[in-house]
Amino acid sequence: GDSVTQMEGPVTLSEEAFLTINCTYTATGYPSLFWYVQYPGEGLQLLLKATKADDKGSNKGFEATYRKETTSFHLEKGSVQVSDSAVYFCALSDPRLYSGGGADGLTFGKGTHLIIQP
Amino acid sequence: DVKVTQSSRYLVKRTGEKVFLECVQDMDHENMFWYRQDPGLGLRLIYFSYDVKMKEKGDIPEGYSVSREKKERFSLILESASTNQTSMYLCASSLSGDSNQPQHFGDGTRLSIL
């Protein structure tokens, strides 16, 4: 079945450091890929997405590129801030998974807890 | 902005009780989902619905049922609550169509079963 693997952390960085959170996936179809962020006490928010190979999703200084050849979607940011402290989830949506039902359930990684210190 | 509202942020119930978790979305989305979130396990799909009165099992449906009588409302039901159902429950909704559509999440209900 489909799966998403990401580093779990916690990942602790100093402010203005460079961030990479690795994400790799396996899927039976040609999935869309997402990064979600969860701030303390809140639900998940979409951070960025990519729907086909070599697409780059970007938002709030974060970027991730859909690499089909390495089945990866690593999240990067050039200079992190304390306000970026959160849990980050990589996820995929496989169009073949629920082809009869019309809805697409997401498969999530376990989440990476990011802590940015001043 | 899409608003997904879960009726309770915190809930405490007893073993054996029937528990209802309610979720409402205001964007006329066809699809609605229930996940549970546990440390070290990430989010796991319990049930989803792609239309009124339609429901599909997700990865971990055992011990749960759902109801979708109106398009905007999706209820998760714990038929007889057990301590291993203590968790954070997240509701989400999305537009129908292809797999590009992102899901929009509520703030979650932290449920404790004593």
Side-chain angles (χ1 to χ4, degrees):
Chain A
D2 292 2
S3 67
V4 175
T5 302
Q6 61 179 110
M7 51 201 298
E8 291 185 38
V11 173
T12 304
L13 295 173
S14 297
E15 207 166 18
E16 299 184 2
F18 185 86
L19 168 71
T20 300
I21 300 177
N22 290 336
C23 171
T24 58
Y25 68 90
T26 59
T28 51
Y30 195 147
S32 295
L33 301 174
F34 304 85
W35 276 101
Y36 283 83
V37 58
Q38 184 177 35
Y39 298 103
E42 298 182 12
L44 276 69
Q45 302 174 25
L46 177 68
L47 183 58
L48 52 85
K49 71 174 187 180
T51 59
K52 61 183 188 295
D54 300 324
D55 263 4
K56 179 186 281 188
S58 61
N59 186 26
K60 299 182 181 180
F62 291 89
E63 293 183 342
T65 302
Y66 190 145
R67 301 288 188 201
K68 197 166 189 295
E69 65 276 13
T70 55
T71 61
S72 65
F73 193 52
H74 304 323
L75 183 68
E76 296 181 335
K77 187 174 184 182
S79 177
V80 292
Q81 306 300 314
V82 172
S83 57
D84 294 327
S85 298
V87 181
Y88 292 81
F89 291 91
C90 185
L92 68 83
S93 176
D94 191 337
R96 289 177 51 182
L97 200 62
Y98 302 113
S99 57
D104 296 289
L106 291 171
T107 299
F108 285 90
K110 293 182 180 180
T112 300
H113 186 195
L114 176 65
I115 301 169
I116 307 301
Q117 295 178 333
Chain B
D1 261 1
V2 177
K3 184 76 173 169
V4 178
T5 303
Q6 295 184 229
S7 54
S8 303
R9 292 297 303 271
Y10 302 93
L11 207 54
V12 180
K13 296 291 182 181
R14 296 204 174 275
T15 304
E17 281 192 67
K18 190 169 186 176
V19 181
F20 293 84
L21 303 183
E22 306 288 346
C23 175
V24 176
Q25 51 94 3
D26 66 356
M27 284 302 291
D28 205 35
H29 284 173
E30 292 84 3
N31 304 326
M32 296 189 75
F33 308 83
W34 276 107
Y35 297 87
R36 63 177 283 177
Q37 181 180 11
D38 299 288
L41 296 176
L43 279 79
R44 293 177 291 167
L45 182 64
I46 305 171
Y47 266 97
F48 66 97
S49 168
Y50 54 88
D51 202 352
V52 175
K53 296 192 186 296
M54 305 302 289
K55 59 185 178 184
E56 295 280 350
K57 293 179 180 179
D59 300 318
I60 51 164
E62 296 79 18
Y64 302 95
S65 63
V66 290
S67 172
R68 187 142 183 227
E69 296 297 319
K70 294 185 177 181
K71 191 175 185 180
E72 67 271 18
R73 185 180 297 270
F74 192 36
S75 303
L76 179 70
I77 303 155
L78 285 66
E79 298 290 343
S80 177
S82 63
T83 54
N84 63 11
Q85 292 178 309
T86 291
S87 185
M88 170 72 89
Y89 290 87
L90 291 168
C91 175
S93 71
S94 71
L95 281 171
S96 186
D98 56 32
S99 60
N100 298 341
Q101 299 297 332
Q103 294 184 11
H104 301 267
F105 286 81
D107 285 339
T109 296
R110 188 166 293 281
L111 175 65
S112 296
I113 306 296
L114 305 178

